[in-house]
Amino acid sequence: MKITRRNMLAQTMAIGAATSVPAMAAAAPRTVERWGVFEIELAGPSGGNPFVDVTLAAVFEGAGKQIRVPGFYDGDGAYRIRFSPPELGSWRWRSESNAGALAGKTGAFTAVAPGKGNRGPVRVSKDGYHFAYADGTPFRQIGTTCYSWALQSDAKCAETLKTLAGAPFNKMRMLVFPNVPSVATNPFARTGDGPRDWDPARFDPAYFRRYEDRIQKLGALGIEADVILYHPYDEKRGYSDMKRADDERYLRYVTARFGAYRNVWWSMANEYDNIETKAVEDWDHLFQVLVAADPHDRLRSIHQINTYYDHRKPWITHASVQNGAAVLDDLRAELHRAFALKPVIFDEVVYEGNIAKRWGNLSAEDMVQRFWYGLIGGCYVGHSETFAADRNADGSWLGQGGSLAGHSAPRLAFLHRIMEEGPVPGVEPIQAWWNYHLGGQQNAYYLRYFGAEQPTEWPVVLPGKGPDSLQSYRLDIIDTWNMTVTPVEGVFRMAKKNDYDVQDPARPTVKLPGKPWIALRLVKVQA
Amino acid sequence: MKITRRNMLAQTMAIGAATSVPAMAAAAPRTVERWGVFEIELAGPSGGNPFVDVTLAAVFEGAGKQIRVPGFYDGDGAYRIRFSPPELGSWRWRSESNAGALAGKTGAFTAVAPGKGNRGPVRVSKDGYHFAYADGTPFRQIGTTCYSWALQSDAKCAETLKTLAGAPFNKMRMLVFPNVPSVATNPFARTGDGPRDWDPARFDPAYFRRYEDRIQKLGALGIEADVILYHPYDEKRGYSDMKRADDERYLRYVTARFGAYRNVWWSMANEYDNIETKAVEDWDHLFQVLVAADPHDRLRSIHQINTYYDHRKPWITHASVQNGAAVLDDLRAELHRAFALKPVIFDEVVYEGNIAKRWGNLSAEDMVQRFWYGLIGGCYVGHSETFAADRNADGSWLGQGGSLAGHSAPRLAFLHRIMEEGPVPGVEPIQAWWNYHLGGQQNAYYLRYFGAEQPTEWPVVLPGKGPDSLQSYRLDIIDTWNMTVTPVEGVFRMAKKNDYDVQDPARPTVKLPGKPWIALRLVKVQA
C-alpha cells in the first residue's frame, strides 16, 4: 500500500502553493487544501481485466459527512482513489474492494485552508441563473472551445496554454474523444489495425493520464475544463456508439479519474442529437449514471445541434446551447432562461474565422456582439475561432488549439472587466417581457447595448416604480470595440415618469456617438 | 330510463344539420353524426348528495374500440352520459353505476357521416407544430379572449355571439369561474350569504347548463371553446383554492359535462403561477386527473404569468403562452416551439385598448403586428380588447364580451385569409437559427414581414441548396394594415447564389413601398 498526497491544482498553479507539501509523505500528519485533490494509490491485481473485474472505492468521513468515492485502475497493478475534500478539517477514509489487496485500507488527512487562487469548484449561484466559486466569488463565464486540443502533442498543448494564459477565457470546452487529427487517438486498448479494432472494456491509462494533465494545467490557469464525454464526429472509430454497459463503464472511469479536479464540468455530449445510436432515453439514463458515479457533483450539461434537450430535467445544472441567432437579441437569449430556469451558456454561437462554411466565418465584431447580447439577456456566451489557411477548421483553434488569429479576444477581455465591475451574482434581464433591452440589477445598475445600431441619442428611461426607483445614476458610454469607457458628466436624478418608468426631467436623454458597438452603463450613486 | 339523442353542435349550426333527427327517439335505429354528441339520460337517485354518492359511466363499443365515458348528475334525479363517436358505424353501450337504477342499461346507435360544417375536433397536426380538424382540414388559429362572457345575461351573450359571427376569431378563451361582474356567479350550491359560503361537493347544474349552452353556440359559429378551468382572480370566492378532492371532483364533473362537445379545449388555468394555493406538483396532478377523466382526449394547455410551465410534459398538447414581447420578433416566437416541441399559441400578448395599464393599451397596428410575427415564427396568436369608458377592463370585450371597439379584427380576418391561402399544415419558420426571418414551406412558399420598418427595397434571397431550391416564384406585396395584395409583375427565377442561398441574378431585389406593416409572399410557380 502506497499513499500519495497531492494537491494537484494548487501545485500546478504558478502562485500561492504555500500549503502544498511534497508527495509521498506516507506517514505523519498529512494535509491537503480544501477543494484540492487527495489521492490514494494502492497496489492490486493486474491479471484478468482489472477494469471489469475489480471494484474499488473509499468512504471518506469528515465534517459530519460520509462520502463514497469510486476508484479506478491506472494500469500496471496501480489503483487510485481521488477525493476533493469539500470542507475543512479532519477526514478519515477506509477502502472497499472485491480484491483483498485493496480492501480495508484506512488513512486520514486534514483539509486545510485553500491557497491563493483556489476558490473551489464553480457552482450555480443561489439565485439560480449565474455561477459562483464555492468560496462565493462570482464566476463570469467567458468560454472558448478547442475540441481536441488536449489530444495534441505536448508542444502544441504548451502553445495552447500559453495562448490561454494571455486570453480572457475561463472555460474550455474539450472532447474526451478526438474529432480532428490528434496525437492521442486511442482511449481504449487496440485489438487490431482497423478504426473499430479496440476493446471498450479496456481503457488505455496513458490516454486518460494525458487528458487529466491538460485538465490540471487549465486549472493552474484558472480555467474550467468543460469535459465533453461524447460527440458525433467519429463514426469511423465509433467511440460514441458503444453499448450501454460499455458507456456506463466509460462514464464511471472518467468520473473516477477526472471528477476530483475542481475545475471539471461535465458536458454529456456535443450535438447529442447527431449521435444516431443514442436516443433521448439513453442520454437520460447516462445522466443518471453520471450523477450516481460522481460524488463531487460537478456541473452537468448537454449540447445540441437541432433539438434542445429539456434543460429542466433534474440532472442538468445549466443549459448549454448551440444557437447563433439567439444571441443577436438579448430577449431571445433571455427566453432560454425562462425555459430552462437555470443558468444558460450559449456555448456555440458560430465562430470567428475565415472558412467557407457559414458556421465559421464571423467577423470579430459579430463575435463580440453575441457576447454582449447574451450578457444583457442574463446569459453567458462561448467563443471559438476557425481561421485556417486550408479553409478547413480541423487545424484551427477550434480543432486543435494553438494560437489565436482573430480579433475578438481582447474585446472579450474588456467585456470580462465590465462584467467583473458589475453586480453580483451577475447581470439580470430587466423586465424582459416589456421589451426594455436592459440588463443589470433593478434600481442599482443597468446595461444597454446597441449592437450594430448607431444611435446619436438615447432616452434615459428606466423601468421602476415607487421610492426605490428614484435613484441617481452616473452614466458611462462604453465603446465595446475600441474598449473605452467614457463617463458622461454629472448624474441622472430619476423622477417618476409614469406608472412604470422613471426619468430625469432635467436630463431626459443622453447624446451618443453615432457609432456601432456602443453600450451604456448606469451605476447608482449617492445623489 | 330515457334516452335522448342529440347532435348538439350540428343542431345549432346554421347550415347542414340534415342528418340530425329530433331528440327523444327512444326506440328504433338511432343515428348521430360522427363527432356529434350522443347523450344518454337516465333517472336515478336524488337523495343524499348524488354528486358524491353516485358513480356513473357507460362503456361504448364500436369501430373496434371500447371507450369508457363517465356520466354526471344534472339535478332533479337526472343523470347524463355524453359521448362523441370518433368513428363511423355501429356503437353499443352499457352503463355502470353503484346505483341500481343506473346500472346495466344498454343501447345502441349508429354514427353517420358528419354534416356540413362538422369537421370534427381540432387535433395537433401530424408534423407536431400546427392544428387540424379531425377530417384533415387545417385549423388556422386566430384566437380571442372574453373571460367571463359565458356568465353574462342571455342578451349580452347574444350580442357577443353576433359580434363573433362577423369577426375572424375561431377560438375563444373563456373562464369557467367568473373574474368580472357576471350574472352567473355560483358554480356551487350556496350555503350562506358570504362569498365563501358554498359547498364544493354540490355543483349548481344550472350554472354549468348555461356554460355548455355557450360552448354549443360557439360551436355553431365554428369557434373553438378554450375552457379555462382555474384562474387567480377570485380570491374573494376562492373557487381556485379548493382542496384536492374537491378539485378532482370538479375536473371530473366538467369533463363529463363538456368534454363531448367537439369544440372544447382545456386550459387548466389562466396565470397558473398566480394561484398561490397550488404548486406545480398540484397542476401536474390535476392534469393527470384531467387526462384520466376525459375519454375524448381534448386539447390541453396551461397559461402562465411569469414562469413558463414545462410544455414538454406529456399531458400538454400545445403551449399556451403569455408574453407580449415574444411576438415582436418571429425568432423569439420560434424559440417557444424549439422548447415545447409542440404547437405554440401566444394566447396573451397584451390587448388592444385604451385603459391606463400597459397591458391594455395597444394600438390596433401593434396588435396586428404581433399576429404577423407569430405567424412567421410558426406560431399562433390571440387577441383581445380592453376599451372601456371607465378605463377599467371589467366591462370590456376582454371581461364580458359584447361588441368590439378596436380596429384590429378586420386585419386579422385579412391575415386569416392569407393563412388559408398558405401551406398545409401551416407556416414553418425557415432556417430560423440563421436569422432569415422567413416563414413558409421550404422551396415552395415564403412570407417575410417587416413590421414597423419601412424598407424601400428587399434582396430576394432565399435559403436553399441543390436542385429543389431552384424554383421560380411570383411575389406579392401585402399591405397588412390596408389589407391589399399587390402582385409584382413577372417571376423570380432562382439560381445558386452561394452554398446556402438562391437568388435570381436578373432580379436580385424587389422594390417596396417604404411604408410600415408590409409583408412579402413568394409562391412557387411553374417556370
Side-chain angles (χ1 to χ4, degrees):
Chain A
M1 174 180 153
K2 181 174 69 168
I3 297 174
T4 63
R5 214 264 308 93
R6 301 196 216 171
N7 188 339
M8 301 197 180
L9 292 181
Q11 281 182 345
T12 50
M13 278 178 197
I15 45 173
T19 62
S20 176
V21 296
M24 309 299 301
R30 300 178 192 96
T31 64
V32 65
E33 285 186 15
R34 184 185 186 191
W35 305 312
V37 177
F38 178 81
E39 179 175 307
I40 303 167
E41 183 181 334
L42 300 169
S46 58
N49 184 352
F51 298 108
V52 172
D53 302 338
V54 179
T55 64
L56 175 64
V59 176
F60 290 81
E61 289 190 63
K65 301 181 188 212
Q66 192 180 68
I67 302 172
R68 188 175 182 281
V69 181
F72 64 94
Y73 182 57
D74 201 21
D76 298 325
Y79 291 78
R80 300 183 197 283
I81 302 163
R82 291 177 178 159
F83 174 58
S84 182
E87 303 290 347
L88 295 172
S90 299
W91 290 86
R92 295 187 310 144
W93 61 269
R94 179 181 187 88
S95 70
E96 299 173 350
S97 176
N98 63 355
L102 301 171
K105 308 298 180 189
T106 61
F109 71 94
T110 300
V112 300
K116 192 173 170 188
N118 175 0
R119 294 169 291 188
V122 172
R123 304 292 191 198
V124 173
S125 60
K126 279 189 202 134
D127 72 300
Y129 290 102
H130 300 282
F131 299 99
Y133 294 98
D135 76 352
T137 309
F139 173 72
R140 323 275 193 169
Q141 199 268 178
I142 299 279
T144 191
T145 298
C146 303
Y147 281 131
S148 294
W149 84 276
L151 311 176
Q152 307 305 313
S153 68
D154 287 349
K156 179 83 175 197
C157 283
E159 182 192 352
T160 304
L161 290 162
K162 187 178 170 198
T163 302
L164 289 169
F169 307 114
N170 56 19
K171 180 168 78 70
M172 168 64 82
R173 299 178 67 241
M174 49 197 279
L175 304 173
V176 175
F177 302 135
N179 73 325
V180 297
S182 298
V183 170
T185 59
N186 295 311
F188 301 96
R190 303 289 311 170
T191 58
D193 293 335
R196 295 252 176 184
D197 293 341
W198 47 273
D199 180 354
R202 288 182 183 271
F203 302 97
D204 181 344
Y207 186 93
F208 291 90
R209 218 172 285 132
R210 168 191 292 263
Y211 196 93
E212 70 205 16
D213 170 70
R214 311 319 192 206
I215 291 174
Q216 293 170 73
K217 285 174 172 155
L218 288 179
L221 294 172
I223 299 172
E224 304 297 303
D226 202 354
V227 175
I228 305 172
L229 300 166
Y230 294 94
H231 69 76
Y233 323 115
D234 70 348
E235 296 95 338
K236 199 177 61 171
R237 302 185 189 94
Y239 297 139
S240 294
D241 304 326
M242 291 187 284
K243 292 193 172 66
R244 178 164 284 195
D246 296 328
D247 281 326
E248 293 175 350
R249 190 184 310 106
Y250 163 61
L251 290 184
R252 291 179 184 130
Y253 193 73
V254 169
T255 46
R257 280 205 82 115
F258 302 159
Y261 301 111
R262 65 174 174 269
N263 63 325
V264 163
W265 301 23
W266 306 121
S267 175
M268 180 60 80
N270 208 69
E271 298 191 350
Y272 81 89
D273 45 336
N274 257 355
I275 297 177
E276 295 181 2
T277 51
K278 289 183 168 62
V280 169
E281 293 67 31
D282 296 311
W283 298 116
D284 292 351
H285 172 75
L286 293 178
F287 267 115
Q288 291 168 69
V289 171
L290 181 68
V291 168
D294 174 23
H296 296 98
D297 194 28
R298 299 303 180 210
L299 295 172
R300 291 176 297 271
S301 70
I302 188 169
H303 165 280
Q304 102 301 341
I305 179 167
N306 289 311
T307 306
Y308 285 153
Y309 186 83
D310 184 353
H311 300 300
R312 287 202 188 178
K313 287 182 175 170
W315 41 79
I316 297 291
T317 56
H318 63 284
S320 170
V321 175
Q322 173 172 192
N323 189 328
V327 277
L328 291 176
D329 171 29
D330 54 293
L331 296 175
R332 291 183 204 158
E334 183 275 339
L335 286 168
H336 292 72
R337 293 175 28 133
F339 282 108
L341 301 178
K342 290 173 187 170
V344 174
I345 305 180
F346 290 93
D347 272 314
E348 188 171 347
V349 297
V350 185
Y351 308 116
E352 183 182 358
N354 68 351
I355 66 170
K357 298 288 184 186
R358 61 179 168 181
W359 52 261
N361 58 17
L362 274 193
S363 70
E365 288 87 344
D366 281 341
M367 171 56 76
V368 174
Q369 176 182 215
R370 283 159 164 79
F371 273 76
W372 274 89
Y373 277 127
L375 173 68
I376 306 292
C379 303
Y380 299 92
V381 182
H383 152 282
S384 197
E385 271 194 9
T386 47
F387 289 97
D390 58 0
R391 312 275 280 174
N392 173 331
D394 283 4
S396 69
W397 176 257
L398 175 69
Q400 298 179 332
S403 301
L404 292 167
H407 300 283
S408 65
R411 280 79 188 184
L412 301 180
F414 175 78
L415 168 65
H416 190 250
R417 195 193 97 194
I418 300 292
M419 293 164 81
E420 291 284 16
E421 294 170 359
V424 173
V427 168
E428 283 291 293
I430 305 288
Q431 295 198 26
W433 295 6
W434 292 99
N435 220 40
Y436 283 95
H437 296 288
L438 289 169
Q441 196 175 52
Q442 185 87 37
N443 301 326
Y445 176 101
Y446 295 90
L447 287 174
R448 178 71 163 84
Y449 176 65
F450 299 100
E453 294 172 45
Q454 305 184 35
T456 55
E457 193 177 76
W458 187 67
V460 185
V461 175
L462 299 176
K465 63 169 74 177
D468 288 349
S469 69
L470 304 180
Q471 307 293 342
S472 293
Y473 296 88
R474 63 178 173 79
L475 191 154
D476 295 319
I477 296 174
I478 299 173
D479 185 326
T480 68
W481 182 252
N482 292 307
M483 299 177 280
T484 60
V485 177
T486 308
V488 170
E489 191 74 25
V491 301
F492 292 79
R493 293 170 217 281
M494 293 298 164
K496 177 175 175 173
K497 173 182 160 70
N498 57 38
D499 283 354
Y500 301 105
D501 297 326
V502 296
Q503 192 171 26
D504 183 344
R507 301 186 75 182
T509 65
V510 63
K511 295 279 177 212
L512 299 181
K515 293 163 59 180
W517 322 124
I518 299 299
L520 298 182
R521 177 170 63 180
L522 291 97
V523 181
K524 183 173 79 170
V525 295
Q526 298 310 318
Chain B
M1 172 181 154
K2 182 174 69 167
I3 299 175
T4 64
R5 215 263 309 91
R6 301 196 216 170
N7 188 339
M8 301 196 179
L9 291 181
Q11 280 181 345
T12 50
M13 278 177 194
I15 45 171
T19 61
S20 175
V21 297
M24 310 300 300
R30 302 177 192 96
T31 64
V32 66
E33 286 186 14
R34 183 186 187 191
W35 304 314
V37 177
F38 177 80
E39 180 174 307
I40 302 166
E41 182 181 336
L42 301 169
S46 58
N49 183 353
F51 297 108
V52 172
D53 302 337
V54 179
T55 64
L56 176 64
V59 176
F60 290 82
E61 289 190 61
K65 301 182 187 210
Q66 192 180 67
I67 302 172
R68 189 173 181 281
V69 181
F72 65 94
Y73 182 56
D74 201 21
D76 298 325
Y79 291 78
R80 300 184 197 284
I81 302 163
R82 290 175 178 161
F83 174 58
S84 182
E87 303 290 347
L88 296 171
S90 299
W91 290 84
R92 295 185 310 141
W93 60 270
R94 179 181 188 87
S95 69
E96 301 173 348
S97 176
N98 63 354
L102 300 171
K105 308 298 180 187
T106 62
F109 71 95
T110 300
V112 300
K116 192 173 168 189
N118 175 358
R119 293 169 290 188
V122 172
R123 304 293 191 197
V124 173
S125 60
K126 277 188 204 135
D127 71 300
Y129 290 102
H130 299 282
F131 299 100
Y133 295 98
D135 76 352
T137 309
F139 173 72
R140 323 273 194 170
Q141 197 268 181
I142 300 280
T144 192
T145 299
C146 303
Y147 281 130
S148 294
W149 85 277
L151 311 176
Q152 307 306 312
S153 69
D154 287 350
K156 179 84 176 198
C157 283
E159 182 192 351
T160 304
L161 290 163
K162 188 179 168 196
T163 302
L164 289 169
F169 307 114
N170 55 19
K171 180 167 79 68
M172 169 64 82
R173 299 178 66 240
M174 49 198 279
L175 304 173
V176 175
F177 302 135
N179 72 327
V180 298
S182 298
V183 171
T185 59
N186 294 312
F188 301 96
R190 304 289 310 169
T191 57
D193 294 334
R196 295 252 175 181
D197 294 339
W198 48 272
D199 181 354
R202 289 183 183 270
F203 302 98
D204 181 345
Y207 186 94
F208 291 89
R209 218 173 284 134
R210 168 193 292 263
Y211 196 93
E212 70 205 17
D213 170 72
R214 310 318 193 208
I215 291 174
Q216 293 169 73
K217 284 174 173 157
L218 287 178
L221 293 172
I223 299 172
E224 304 297 302
D226 202 354
V227 175
I228 303 171
L229 300 166
Y230 295 93
H231 69 76
Y233 323 115
D234 71 348
E235 297 94 340
K236 200 179 60 173
R237 301 185 188 95
Y239 297 139
S240 295
D241 305 324
M242 291 187 284
K243 294 192 171 68
R244 177 163 284 194
D246 298 327
D247 281 325
E248 293 175 351
R249 190 185 311 106
Y250 162 63
L251 290 184
R252 291 179 183 129
Y253 193 74
V254 170
T255 47
R257 281 205 81 116
F258 302 159
Y261 301 111
R262 66 174 173 269
N263 63 325
V264 162
W265 302 22
W266 306 121
S267 175
M268 180 60 80
N270 210 68
E271 299 190 349
Y272 81 89
D273 46 337
N274 257 355
I275 297 176
E276 295 180 2
T277 52
K278 290 183 167 63
V280 168
E281 293 68 30
D282 295 311
W283 297 116
D284 292 353
H285 172 76
L286 293 178
F287 267 115
Q288 291 168 70
V289 171
L290 182 69
V291 168
D294 175 22
H296 296 98
D297 194 28
R298 299 302 181 211
L299 294 172
R300 291 175 297 271
S301 70
I302 188 168
H303 165 280
Q304 103 300 340
I305 180 167
N306 290 311
T307 305
Y308 285 152
Y309 186 83
D310 184 352
H311 300 299
R312 289 202 186 178
K313 287 182 175 170
W315 41 79
I316 297 292
T317 57
H318 63 285
S320 171
V321 175
Q322 173 174 192
N323 189 329
V327 278
L328 291 176
D329 171 28
D330 53 292
L331 297 176
R332 291 182 205 159
E334 183 275 338
L335 286 169
H336 292 72
R337 293 175 29 133
F339 282 106
L341 300 179
K342 289 174 187 170
V344 174
I345 305 180
F346 291 92
D347 272 314
E348 188 171 347
V349 296
V350 185
Y351 308 117
E352 183 182 0
N354 67 352
I355 66 170
K357 298 289 184 186
R358 61 180 167 181
W359 52 261
N361 59 17
L362 274 192
S363 70
E365 288 86 344
D366 281 341
M367 172 56 75
V368 174
Q369 176 182 214
R370 283 160 164 78
F371 273 77
W372 274 90
Y373 277 125
L375 174 67
I376 306 292
C379 303
Y380 299 92
V381 182
H383 151 281
S384 196
E385 271 193 7
T386 47
F387 288 98
D390 58 0
R391 310 276 279 175
N392 172 331
D394 284 4
S396 69
W397 176 258
L398 176 69
Q400 298 179 332
S403 301
L404 292 167
H407 301 284
S408 64
R411 280 79 188 186
L412 301 180
F414 175 77
L415 168 66
H416 190 249
R417 196 193 97 195
I418 300 290
M419 292 165 82
E420 290 284 16
E421 294 169 359
V424 173
V427 168
E428 283 291 292
I430 304 289
Q431 295 197 26
W433 294 5
W434 292 99
N435 221 37
Y436 282 96
H437 294 289
L438 289 169
Q441 195 175 53
Q442 185 86 38
N443 301 326
Y445 176 102
Y446 296 90
L447 287 175
R448 178 70 162 85
Y449 176 65
F450 298 101
E453 295 171 44
Q454 305 185 35
T456 56
E457 192 177 76
W458 186 67
V460 186
V461 175
L462 299 176
K465 62 170 76 177
D468 287 349
S469 69
L470 304 179
Q471 306 293 341
S472 293
Y473 295 88
R474 64 177 173 79
L475 191 154
D476 294 320
I477 296 173
I478 300 174
D479 185 327
T480 67
W481 181 252
N482 292 305
M483 299 177 280
T484 60
V485 176
T486 307
V488 171
E489 192 75 25
V491 300
F492 292 78
R493 294 170 216 282
M494 293 297 165
K496 177 175 175 171
K497 172 181 160 67
N498 57 37
D499 282 353
Y500 301 105
D501 296 325
V502 296
Q503 191 172 24
D504 183 344
R507 301 187 75 182
T509 65
V510 62
K511 296 278 177 213
L512 299 181
K515 294 163 57 181
W517 322 124
I518 299 299
L520 298 182
R521 177 170 64 181
L522 292 97
V523 181
K524 183 174 82 170
V525 294
Q526 299 309 319

